[in-house]
Amino acid sequence: MSNPSELGPALRAWRDRVAPGTAGLPSGGRRRAAGLRREELSLLAGVSADYITRLEQGRATTPSAQVLTALARALRLSDAERQHLFLLAGQPAPTAGQLPTHLTPGVQRLLDQLDRTPVAVYDPAWTLLAWNHLWAALLGDPSTLRGRGRNVLWRHFTGPGGRVSHTAEGTTAFEASAVGDLRSATARYPDDGNLRRLVADLRAASTSFAHLWDTHAVGTHEMDHKTIYHPEIGPLTLDCDVLTAAGSDLRIVAYTAPPGSDAADKLRLLAVIGTQTMA
């Protein structure tokens, strides 16, 4: 049962305890409180500042599950706090049969602290959930992507592609590994409607995906070697490792280069220039 009178105070309290610096935002200047401003929470969650204001003031009382998930992630809520947020808003909390999308505090700290390594977090269906600044600098800022645009398989099989390039042999291996991993996810999360729709839409949009899906192969996508073509500094050949966060089934993807290599030098340069365009 919803409790809108408690939803606003809870959001304000959680917002007040998140220091901007820990969320990767500038913390200088005069501030009335140590926590996030509404505009900063809006930026992190992808929810309008006006809507956050209305939620906190009790003038909006029925946020969607997607909005609640984004707020919980931006506010760095624990699992118990996220459950409480959903209950206050009158929404059923995510169940064990649905894809996990909540970043645990440990995974969030990993993103915050690995600032010299491109790192991102995906759900088990390979939809991008979060990333650090160096990831955005390497692969392009994902903040403008919405919905299926953040899903690796959708972008690969239906386009447009990104900056990652595969050889013909590498493409075959990647597709088999990724589709097998997605099929494994459907067995672990049978109640997730978004996952079922993703598979159905991929089968309809791509004959290559449909053929691979119909083989019923299962597996896990764990590591790869990828060449990324950056528009400013050229190609980088990097190791791509996929780790699974214990207890959450989230996928942590990191790109690394051997010390002293040309790719390592280019990553250091990217850490300096970020997403800006060099003249």
Side-chain angles (χ1 to χ4, degrees), residues 66 98-99 101 123 125 127 148 189 191-201:
Q66 290 81 2
Q98 295 177 311
L99 290 172
T101 60
D123 72 11
T127 296
R148 295 276 172 82
Y189 305 100
D191 300 330
D192 195 287
N194 289 330
L195 178 56
R196 293 196 302 271
R197 285 189 290 274
L198 172 64
V199 172
D201 291 348

Side-chain angles (χ1 to χ4, degrees), residues 141-165:
D141 187 0
S143 63
T144 60
L145 301 176
R146 295 291 181 268
R148 295 276 172 82
R150 292 191 179 187
N151 184 269
V152 170
L153 281 86
W154 184 260
R155 288 178 64 85
H156 177 82
F157 283 101
T158 71
R163 296 178 180 178
V164 177
S165 175

Side-chain angles (χ1 to χ4, degrees), residues 128-210:
L128 182 63
L129 299 176
W131 58 90
N132 65 5
H133 294 300
L134 193 50
W135 179 278
L138 176 66
L139 292 160
D141 187 0
S143 63
T144 60
L145 301 176
R146 295 291 181 268
R148 295 276 172 82
R150 292 191 179 187
N151 184 269
V152 170
L153 281 86
W154 184 260
R155 288 178 64 85
H156 177 82
F157 283 101
T158 71
R163 296 178 180 178
V164 177
S165 175
H166 294 279
T167 63
E169 181 181 358
T171 297
T172 299
F174 167 77
E175 290 180 349
S177 175
V179 174
D181 199 8
L182 186 66
R183 179 173 280 282
S184 297
T186 62
R188 295 196 303 278
Y189 305 100
D191 300 330
D192 195 287
N194 289 330
L195 178 56
R196 293 196 302 271
R197 285 189 290 274
L198 172 64
V199 172
D201 291 348
L202 277 167
R203 284 175 55 85
S206 170
T207 55
S208 296
F209 177 88

Side-chain angles (χ1 to χ4, degrees), residues 113-134:
Q113 295 175 13
L114 289 179
D115 57 351
R116 295 188 178 276
T117 300
V119 181
V121 181
Y122 290 83
D123 72 11
W126 289 100
T127 296
L128 182 63
L129 299 176
W131 58 90
N132 65 5
H133 294 300
L134 193 50

Side-chain angles (χ1 to χ4, degrees), residues 2-277:
S2 66
N3 191 346
S5 65
E6 291 295 325
L7 178 60
L11 287 172
R12 286 194 298 272
W14 288 326
R15 178 166 59 83
D16 286 344
R17 77 181 186 186
V18 180
T22 65
L25 297 171
S27 55
R30 298 183 61 183
R31 307 180 69 93
R32 289 184 296 175
L36 295 174
R37 299 185 177 106
R38 289 187 181 116
E39 293 78 10
E40 292 168 332
L41 178 57
S42 169
L43 177 66
L44 293 170
V47 178
S48 76
D50 176 69
Y51 189 64
I52 292 172
T53 299
R54 288 189 285 124
L55 283 173
E56 292 187 354
Q57 293 178 350
R59 294 186 288 117
T61 58
T62 56
S64 68
Q66 290 81 2
V67 166
L68 294 172
T69 297
L71 288 172
R73 187 182 306 131
L75 292 167
R76 300 167 181 239
L77 302 187
S78 67
D79 288 339
E81 290 167 339
R82 183 177 60 134
Q83 294 268 12
H84 187 61
L85 172 64
F86 272 74
L87 289 174
L88 291 179
Q91 289 280 4
T95 66
Q98 295 177 311
L99 290 172
T101 60
H102 182 60
L103 270 64
T104 64
V107 172
Q108 185 62 62
R109 283 194 298 272
L110 193 66
L111 272 179
D112 295 339
Q113 295 175 13
L114 289 179
D115 57 351
R116 295 188 178 276
T117 300
V119 181
V121 181
Y122 290 83
D123 72 11
W126 289 100
T127 296
L128 182 63
L129 299 176
W131 58 90
N132 65 5
H133 294 300
L134 193 50
W135 179 278
L138 176 66
L139 292 160
D141 187 0
S143 63
T144 60
L145 301 176
R146 295 291 181 268
R148 295 276 172 82
R150 292 191 179 187
N151 184 269
V152 170
L153 281 86
W154 184 260
R155 288 178 64 85
H156 177 82
F157 283 101
T158 71
R163 296 178 180 178
V164 177
S165 175
H166 294 279
T167 63
E169 181 181 358
T171 297
T172 299
F174 167 77
E175 290 180 349
S177 175
V179 174
D181 199 8
L182 186 66
R183 179 173 280 282
S184 297
T186 62
R188 295 196 303 278
Y189 305 100
D191 300 330
D192 195 287
N194 289 330
L195 178 56
R196 293 196 302 271
R197 285 189 290 274
L198 172 64
V199 172
D201 291 348
L202 277 167
R203 284 175 55 85
S206 170
T207 55
S208 296
F209 177 88
H211 171 73
L212 286 167
W213 189 260
D214 289 342
T215 66
H216 290 267
V218 296
T220 56
H221 182 56
E222 296 179 342
M223 64 174 295
D224 204 350
H225 301 284
K226 296 185 178 181
T227 298
I228 298 168
Y229 286 88
H230 190 277
E232 302 292 339
I233 64 174
L236 300 85
T237 300
L238 302 169
D239 293 329
C240 176
D241 289 289
V242 182
L243 310 174
T244 300
S248 71
D249 206 20
L250 298 177
R251 311 303 173 81
I252 302 171
V253 180
Y255 283 106
T256 59
S261 65
D262 177 67
D265 291 339
K266 289 181 176 179
L267 280 181
R268 282 194 293 271
L269 176 59
L270 270 180
V272 175
I273 66 173
T275 57
Q276 65 181 319
T277 300

